Amino acid sequence: MISEAKYQGLSREFFTTGSQLGWGTRVFLISATAAGNIFTLPDARSLPKGYTVLVGGVGANSFVVKDAGGNTLEASHAQFTWTWFTLFINTTAAGTWLLDARTRLT
Amino acid sequence: MGFHDVQFPLDAEYGSQGGDGWNTGIIELDSGTEERVARWSNPKRSYDVSYAVKTRTVLRAVLDFFNARQGAANSFRFRDWMDYASTADGGVISFGGVTYQAAAAGAANITNADQQIGTGNGTTTTFQLVKKYTSGSQTYTRNITKPVSGSLLISFDTGAGPVNQSSGFSVDTSTGIVTFTTAPANGTLIRAGFVFDVEARFSDDTDKRGIRWQFSGGDQVGTDAIVLVEVPSSSFVDEDDMPGGSADLGVVTASFTVNLALGRVQRWTVNTASLNATMPDGNLFSDGDRHLFVVNDGSQSIQVKRSNGTNEFVIAAGAKVRFVLVTQTGAATGKRWYGF
């Protein structure tokens, strides 16, 4: 049988408040309840290098994305924007994340 | 660790046992039907060479070889005696002052026209050695990355049959890439004959357990299984990035239903306007990334639809699109295929 992890096919979460993103999910559709809500990536030390997370803004309010060390990665993630975060270094909680912003096709 | 360009002791290869293996994921659905996914684009071969290690001399050579490779740390050349030449069977082959005969008497020897490795365009000077395996209407093409030095034969065919090329080319025996000093002319069929090895390493189990031998007196010895496994070449699709292999659908002339089982990396050449590609029912799959990567190499765009016929997004001509499956709430609730 094909394992779920092989497809990285874990279910998305739908946030309405600022919080730390869980490591078990790869696709996050985020709807912030207020502009400037902060969403924090998982502790990089708990993840393998190369781990990817896709963050999409689906609500009207923009939000902030930070690493687990409190560093701002995206100061204003707007609605209808999408960014892949790929873990490059995982020796610290913050780690080093590479950002790849894309436009969703319509 | 790396690749040591050394040959596994030939004495210990005769009598070896092995075969090709694939990795097919089979998803059994609630209905009892199934979806099959070819996770690998190429088979991975494995061998047990213990059958050939019957004397102290051979055992000593294998033990020395094993330790020089630091167990499984470094890969090496292994001659697969069922498939080591550009011909269907290897016949009798002589090069470098050594004659090999693994095939039955009368089997065809390699020739300079065994495998077509490309077609000249007047500018390209490098071509990958390949071997094709055909059964019925299906052909599997294997990249040959470890040709044997001195075995390569090359011919050009401009329509009048193969003409041997005795010079003007070289081959990298660590990659199987043939480089010509002058680019073959446009339309020239480039063919090759060669002997090749498999890049292999000792298995994890043999690495940890070691080569367990048994002394039987005199020159007689025996061993437990000594398993070697093929090291995939870089031509394999990266399993961590895109499981499921790849597929080239060629020129698409009609609307179609996307079949993920063909491969998770697909090339569509859409040259006809107003075509649709209907995705499979998203409820059959888990949410997430990396379900499919499509390259549209055609001159026309194509509309991607959900299984219920709803439009999802358009793939423009020349675009490369990554598919992500999400469960959307609110408008258009349900499983949605997003393209990026």
Side-chain angles (χ1 to χ4, degrees), chain B residues 19-24 37-46 83 128-133 139-145 198 230-239 242-247 262-263:
Chain B
D20 302 1
W22 291 84
N23 185 1
T24 305
V37 175
R39 285 182 172 163
W40 294 349
S41 301
N42 298 277
K44 189 180 285 187
R45 299 157 183 88
S46 62
D83 190 4
Q128 174 70 54
L129 288 178
V130 297
K131 182 175 181 180
K132 293 183 171 66
Y133 302 79
T139 296
Y140 157 65
T141 301
R142 172 186 182 184
N143 283 357
I144 301 299
T145 60
V198 172
E230 182 178 13
V231 176
S233 76
S234 58
S235 63
F236 274 43
V237 171
D238 186 345
E239 184 74 5
M242 274 292 174
S246 58
L262 294 176

Side-chain angles (χ1 to χ4, degrees), chain B residues 79-326:
Chain B
R79 185 71 44 82
D80 179 336
W81 289 106
M82 279 301 293
D83 190 4
Y84 62 94
S86 52
T87 49
D89 209 341
V92 180
I93 299 164
S94 296
F95 59 90
V98 180
T99 298
Y100 301 91
Q101 182 172 12
N109 295 341
I110 62 170
T111 74
N112 58 19
D114 289 339
Q115 300 289 332
Q116 183 176 331
I117 63 172
T119 303
N121 60 9
T123 58
T124 303
T125 57
T126 58
F127 295 85
Q128 174 70 54
L129 288 178
V130 297
K131 182 175 181 180
K132 293 183 171 66
Y133 302 79
T134 299
S135 174
S137 60
Q138 284 75 43
T139 296
Y140 157 65
T141 301
R142 172 186 182 184
N143 283 357
I144 301 299
T145 60
K146 295 292 179 287
V148 173
S149 178
S151 70
L152 182 63
L153 304 173
I154 291 286
S155 69
F156 288 168
D157 187 345
T158 57
V163 177
N164 188 60
Q165 306 295 306
S166 57
S167 62
F169 63 88
S170 61
V171 62
D172 184 334
T173 56
S174 67
T175 63
I177 293 175
V178 178
T179 301
F180 294 95
T181 52
T182 302
N186 189 38
T188 300
L189 303 182
I190 305 158
R191 296 194 178 100
F194 45 82
V195 176
F196 61 93
D197 292 317
V198 172
E199 181 179 348
R201 62 167 173 80
F202 289 96
S203 71
D204 298 357
D205 189 47
T206 300
D207 176 77
K208 300 292 187 299
R209 182 174 47 84
I211 296 174
R212 311 290 295 181
W213 51 265
Q214 178 185 33
F215 177 58
S216 303
D219 193 37
Q220 302 300 305
V221 297
T223 69
D224 286 347
I226 304 172
V227 178
L228 312 181
V229 294
E230 182 178 13
V231 176
S233 76
S234 58
S235 63
F236 274 43
V237 171
D238 186 345
E239 184 74 5
D240 286 335
D241 188 43
M242 274 292 174
S246 58
D248 186 351
L249 272 59
V251 176
V252 177
T253 57
S255 296
F256 64 99
T257 298
V258 177
N259 183 357
L260 298 182
L262 294 176
R264 299 291 171 149
V265 179
Q266 298 189 6
R267 182 165 69 175
W268 305 347
T269 304
V270 183
N271 290 335
T272 304
S274 304
L275 297 185
N276 300 317
T278 302
M279 293 299 292
D281 185 351
N283 292 306
L284 298 176
F285 304 95
S286 299
D287 283 359
D289 193 358
R290 307 181 184 185
H291 280 284
L292 180 65
F293 184 84
V294 169
V295 178
N296 177 7
D297 270 348
S299 59
Q300 298 289 330
S301 62
I302 186 168
Q303 174 71 55
V304 175
K305 290 178 173 285
R306 295 168 74 178
S307 58
N308 64 5
T310 306
N311 288 344
E312 287 287 34
F313 55 88
V314 173
I315 302 178
K320 301 176 179 64
V321 178
R322 181 174 184 160
F323 287 60
V324 176
L325 183 62
V326 302

Side-chain angles (χ1 to χ4, degrees), chain A residues 21-78:
Chain A
L21 307 181
W23 63 267
T25 302
R26 298 296 184 91
V27 181
F28 295 91
L29 284 70
I30 295 179
S31 176
T33 53
N37 274 165
I38 297 170
F39 294 87
T40 305
L41 294 177
D43 186 330
R45 294 171 298 187
S46 65
L47 302 171
K49 288 188 285 188
Y51 188 91
T52 59
V53 172
L54 173 61
V55 173
V58 296
N61 294 317
S62 63
F63 54 88
V64 179
V65 179
K66 293 189 174 188
D67 63 32
N71 305 300
T72 298
L73 301 177
E74 283 190 304
S76 180
H77 189 113

